[in-house]
Amino acid sequence: MMTNMKKYIFIWIIGIMFPLFTACNDGFLDLNPRDQLSEQTFWATETDAFNALVGVYSRYTDGDNVWMYYDHILGLPARSDEAVNVWKGNDYNNLGAGNNSPSMWYTKELWSIRYRIIRTCNVFLTNIDKPQMDDTKREQMKGEVKFLRAFAYHFLLNNWGGVPIIEEPLTLEELKRPRNTAEEVLDFILKDLDEAAKVLPETWSSEYAGRITKGAALGMKARVLLYAGRWEEAAIAAKAVMDLGVHSLFSSYEDLFEISNKYNEEVLYAWQYVGQNMANYTQIYMHFPSFGGWGGTNPLQEFVDGILCTDGKPSNESAVYNPDKPYENRDPRFYMSVIYPGSTYRGVEIPVYGDVDYPGATGNSSQSGYYTRKFLDEGAARYALIPMESNVIILRYAEVLLTYAEAKIESGSIDQSVYDAINMLRARAYGVDISQTDKYPAVTGGSQEELRKIVRNERMIELCFEGQRRDDIIRWRTAEKLMNGACYGIPIEKDGKEHILVMERRFDPSYHYLFPIPQDEIDLIGKDIMKQNPGWETAE
């Protein structure tokens, strides 16, 4: 369990958040009562089917699975080279440090949550043919649920490799199935996404804002194929999203994450939170102590160093980089994503040094001295932070563009469309049109290796703290370098050169690229049926 006082705070939060996640409010998730979905649900009418559909969606945000929200917001960045979590010794940081085992409760919960969701999806798909209803709506609902099932399996595949494929509701005894191969799980995910894309509409009316669309299914397919290294297919799927003409980049990178803009045209799929009765704790977690927050995700110096300068070059190559003023002349997304010593937030300078925001000053003071600015909402009130209805964006059009660019680069199909995909993001960050290449560092050429470096860095900057970085460094097989050794924060003294040592990390490429299968699952199913991942057989 968690090894500091935040353990008890989180237990308290679960107690208060469970009723919040199951309460009634206005919005798609509460257009109808959301009863607990089970085989006993009365499957007679279209209304029954819709209620059941809402129940499936809510499994990603309800109280039973609230740890998934915590992990996405606070855990995934800490399992990458982007950041650590503010609370030393907790499970997010333990995983980032390489401290895992088959008996670790947290990885077991991440496994169990996905199979609970998969079971809910299977209950729905087993019963959806029963109601008397419009067949087009029935098929669309099937598509939405297949997307949600595919997304759960995608997480399992990324973290454990091959896992058991379950397509129907099963009893405990029936769950005793061996692991399918990673290739079989991948094919199953792609099948679900293909079937979803065939039947889902390109858009929904405003009444149903947030429901899964064709673009979401195609975009998720592009991500899955990219992660699998199937470059040409990934580019085709990403291009299919681009050709729909439905999605585009939101005008402002910074305002993209404001609650008031949560249903903007860039968002393809998000976990939805609506109203005070179904809100989340992002603003409380992410704001820094001098604003009344818990300082949850702390960027690392290594991440800051990786942000390009305004000439498009890394700091060790840039003519505009000044080591005495390291925060000047950086990509605009740096200032929209990170709070650093001396930066301003809502017109107020955040000094960090000599302040409650300095590492160690309070239990919620950043370990690194940096804080996450991304996701902070203008509506949050200083020293009066409350749960708010910000959505958690899982997939957006910017990622589709990056997927397209990376897939084309890796397949050797480099053309102007690759440069355009990257330049659209850079131009948006600088607040100019893509054609104004004298006002931002436009990409105009380069070798495959040079462009590979560019697109990987672009993903790091554009998608920072959104839960993508860990998967990226795992699939690129760079985690063994980036997650092995010491990680640092701001200089110990304001004008010093020696940086704060945040923690030591360990990443053994012989077994850390996959999580261990939870020992409880092996004991339940049988070690001869459920095989452990290599290297974890004797780890504790």
Side-chain angles (χ1 to χ4, degrees), residues 295-539:
T297 297
N298 309 152
L300 291 168
Q301 187 64 48
E302 291 81 357
F303 168 77
V304 172
D305 289 343
I307 305 296
L308 298 179
C309 295
T310 51
D311 58 2
K313 296 180 180 180
S315 58
N316 62 351
E317 300 176 11
S318 174
V320 301
Y321 177 74
N322 181 351
D324 294 325
K325 298 180 180 180
Y327 309 126
E328 293 185 359
N329 300 320
R330 307 302 282 269
D331 185 296
R333 286 167 293 188
F334 169 65
Y335 308 107
M336 302 174 196
S337 301
V338 177
I339 287 175
Y340 55 90
S343 63
T344 59
Y345 178 65
R346 301 197 198 177
V348 177
E349 182 178 336
I350 314 300
V352 177
Y353 291 98
D355 192 77
V356 296
D357 297 318
Y358 186 78
T362 75
N364 293 327
S365 300
S366 169
Q367 288 199 61
S368 69
Y370 296 109
Y371 294 89
T372 301
R373 190 186 191 286
K374 196 173 188 176
F375 313 127
L376 302 188
D377 194 86
E378 288 295 320
R382 188 173 189 177
Y383 296 124
L385 297 170
I386 60 173
M388 298 178 73
E389 56 181 70
S390 52
N391 286 350
V392 176
I393 298 175
I394 303 299
L395 176 65
R396 57 188 177 92
Y397 189 65
E399 181 193 337
V400 172
L401 294 175
L402 289 166
T403 294
Y404 176 79
E406 182 179 351
K408 293 273 284 185
I409 291 167
E410 294 295 345
S411 66
S413 303
I414 300 168
D415 56 24
Q416 185 61 43
S417 67
V418 172
Y419 312 142
D420 289 344
I422 298 172
N423 288 338
M424 278 192 276
L425 300 176
R426 291 190 172 186
R428 193 258 298 267
Y430 281 78
V432 299
D433 187 80
I434 189 174
S435 64
Q436 296 175 284
T437 54
D438 60 328
K439 296 183 178 180
Y440 70 96
V443 178
T444 58
S447 67
Q448 184 184 49
E449 182 57 36
E450 289 169 335
L451 289 169
R452 178 183 292 127
K453 182 179 179 180
I454 286 171
V455 78
R456 289 184 178 187
N457 189 270
E458 198 67 24
R459 282 185 69 92
M460 183 192 74
I461 298 171
E462 176 70 28
L463 304 176
C464 65
F465 317 130
E466 294 181 46
Q468 299 268 13
R469 180 64 176 175
R470 181 190 180 273
D471 285 338
D472 281 346
I473 63 176
I474 291 292
R475 67 186 177 89
W476 293 332
R477 288 298 189 264
T478 57
E480 59 199 74
K481 177 182 178 181
L482 299 172
M483 297 297 292
N484 206 24
C487 55
Y488 296 90
I490 62 174
I492 294 173
E493 298 176 354
K494 187 173 183 179
D495 298 319
K497 300 299 181 182
E498 184 182 354
H499 289 255
I500 291 171
L501 173 63
V502 176
M503 69 185 324
E504 294 280 349
R505 287 170 159 176
R506 176 177 62 94
F507 192 99
D508 187 331
S510 69
Y511 64 99
H512 272 139
Y513 276 109
L514 290 175
F515 281 170
I517 301 294
Q519 189 61 46
D520 285 354
E521 296 296 322
I522 294 175
D523 294 342
L524 175 67
I525 296 173
K527 64 180 180 180
D528 295 331
I529 300 174
M530 179 68 81
K531 302 292 186 180
Q532 183 57 274
N533 275 326
W536 292 107
E537 294 88 351
T538 59

Side-chain angles (χ1 to χ4, degrees), residues 122-157:
N122 290 339
V123 168
F124 181 94
L125 293 170
T126 298
N127 290 281
I128 186 57
D129 287 329
K130 295 178 181 178
Q132 296 292 319
M133 62 181 295
D134 178 82
D135 284 336
T136 298
K137 292 182 179 179
R138 189 197 317 274
E139 292 306 309
Q140 289 174 340
M141 290 183 184
K142 286 182 182 179
E144 292 170 83
V145 173
K146 287 180 179 179
F147 174 99
L148 295 170
R149 182 171 67 178
F151 184 58
Y153 271 115
H154 179 52
F155 182 89
L156 292 169
L157 176 64

